[in-house]
Amino acid sequence: MQHAAAPEGVHTLRDPDSGLEGLIVLHSTALGPAAGGCRLLHYQDASLMQADAFRLAEGMSYKNALAGLPMGGGKAVIRLPQRSFSRHELFRAFGRAVDALGGRYITAEDVGTSVEDMQAVSESTRFVAGLPSGAGGPGGDPSPWTAQGVFVSMETLVGRHLSKDLSDCVVAVQGLGHVGRSLARMLHEAGARLLVADISEQNVRRVVAETGATVVPADQILSVEADVLAPCALGAIFDETSIGTIRARIICGAANNQLATPGDGARLAQRGILYAPDYVVNAGGIINVAGEYFGWTEKDTQRRIAETGNRLIRVLDHASATGVAPNKAADELARATIAAGPSPLPADSAP
């Protein structure tokens, strides 16, 4: 992702009673309310927290634009308190901060947060998704929906670029949290041979028991021989050093901000490695959030996620036609969509 304009708004989160400390960053509301999850992590200092929030909020603007959602982009990051605290009270306080923005920001789960946390948020505001799903509608943990979009994209890519089915492929999955585990199960059901790695032995044991995957040391997973490499952990893993070791032919995974710098997309292309821009393929979770927030049916939401492969092909075709790397092509299309402003909403998109 190539960084562009400064965010529209930066809102400091601070509530000494609950231990809340963090930021809500609204990158863009050009297409609708800024939507993006709330991340709870240990940040060593405020500057690292701010950099993470700015990068993630911009990524959400681009993700939502290319997914065709009536939403802008934003993100909340909360610094994990270094003292004992009540999660319930912390997220109630966060909910009050979200509510004070009057609907300009819609929050949901992200790394380090859960459905239960969003239920606490909902006690203070209605501008929240990721709540337990109702009958016949989207909602709940967005991770399986994110995994579904990555799976559809991977299926599209191996058919188009390798002339294979997933059942004939070796897929290396880095990171076996909620999304990585869901993706591994889908790939196993499709007949793919799995190589997996995670820093958590518990996560590895669970996925191996479910799928029979082969375990690879976490520091070797990026360089294993595979048809597809699926990064599903944290970002900034592809840089000048790591790119030189990759032996997979396709990169398609759920992690956000996988490229350390925008130029690393060109490095991958120069090595003949097809990179599927992360915020194009991992949009299933935010599509689920939109479906919950706007009241779409589960069928409508699933249809939009199933179209992820077609949206990815549009990006890759643009990259081919303009002679740029896929990450740059995605940025160009996303910015053009944002600049054009909102389009008339179909009936199922009305709040």
Side-chain angles (χ1 to χ4, degrees), residues 179-324:
V179 178
R181 181 186 179 191
S182 293
L183 178 62
R185 285 197 296 246
M186 293 175 190
L187 290 167
H188 173 64
E189 290 170 6
R193 180 171 159 249
L194 294 175
L195 308 176
V196 301
D198 193 289
I199 58 174
S200 164
E201 292 184 10
Q202 179 181 358
N203 287 353
V204 170
R205 286 197 300 269
R206 187 167 51 190
V207 170
V208 168
E210 293 172 344
T211 67
T214 299
V215 181
V216 175
D219 61 354
Q220 297 177 26
I221 190 70
L222 297 185
S223 59
V224 296
E225 189 168 347
D227 296 291
V228 185
L229 173 60
C232 297
L234 297 179
I237 57 171
F238 297 122
D239 56 23
E240 190 170 5
T241 300
S242 65
I243 288 171
T245 70
I246 295 171
R247 289 190 284 170
R249 299 172 65 184
I250 292 172
I251 294 173
C252 179
N256 287 311
N257 304 315
Q258 295 169 21
L259 304 180
T261 70
D264 292 314
R267 289 190 179 94
L268 288 168
Q270 288 164 4
R271 288 210 56 220
I273 299 167
L274 178 61
Y275 172 67
D278 44 46
Y279 64 79
V280 178
V281 305
N282 70 10
I286 195 64
I287 294 172
N288 172 59
V289 165
E292 178 186 352
Y293 189 77
F294 291 120
W296 301 337
T297 66
E298 184 167 356
K299 181 179 178 181
D300 289 332
T301 306
Q302 288 281 15
R303 173 179 54 80
R304 291 168 185 264
I305 294 174
E307 293 169 355
T308 303
N310 292 332
R311 291 190 291 268
L312 175 59
I313 293 303
R314 175 178 170 237
V315 170
L316 297 179
D317 285 347
H318 180 69
S320 179
T322 57
V324 300

Side-chain angles (χ1 to χ4, degrees), residues 150-206:
V150 176
F151 176 84
V152 168
S153 301
M154 198 180 294
E155 193 173 42
T156 299
L157 290 178
V158 299
R160 175 171 158 137
H161 291 274
L162 303 183
S163 299
K164 285 185 176 184
D165 294 323
L166 280 170
S167 59
D168 298 321
C169 289
V170 177
V171 181
V173 181
Q174 180 205 37
L176 303 172
H178 292 300
V179 178
R181 181 186 179 191
S182 293
L183 178 62
R185 285 197 296 246
M186 293 175 190
L187 290 167
H188 173 64
E189 290 170 6
R193 180 171 159 249
L194 294 175
L195 308 176
V196 301
D198 193 289
I199 58 174
S200 164
E201 292 184 10
Q202 179 181 358
N203 287 353
V204 170
R205 286 197 300 269
R206 187 167 51 190

Side-chain angles (χ1 to χ4, degrees), residues 68-161:
L69 299 177
M71 291 175 153
K75 205 76 173 185
V77 296
I78 298 175
R79 197 171 184 177
L80 185 67
Q82 296 305 294
R83 60 172 174 82
S84 62
F85 70 102
S86 163
R87 287 185 77 101
H88 186 81
E89 291 306 315
L90 183 142
F91 282 101
R92 277 175 53 89
F94 170 63
R96 292 192 292 272
V98 171
D99 200 62
L101 295 176
R104 295 180 63 216
Y105 170 62
I106 301 164
T107 196
E109 293 95 331
D110 199 276
V111 174
T113 59
S114 67
V115 172
E116 291 74 23
D117 295 329
M118 294 307 107
Q119 288 179 291
V121 172
S122 73
E123 295 177 16
S124 302
T125 185
R126 64 184 178 90
F127 304 116
V128 56
L131 302 172
S133 56
D141 180 5
S143 300
W145 304 74
T146 302
Q148 181 66 37
V150 176
F151 176 84
V152 168
S153 301
M154 198 180 294
E155 193 173 42
T156 299
L157 290 178
V158 299
R160 175 171 158 137
H161 291 274

Side-chain angles (χ1 to χ4, degrees), residues 3-29:
H3 301 291
E8 289 182 11
V10 180
H11 303 271
T12 300
L13 305 173
R14 189 173 299 278
D15 181 72
D17 290 343
S18 66
L20 176 66
E21 178 188 357
L23 295 171
I24 296 174
V25 177
L26 309 183
H27 177 262
S28 172
T29 57

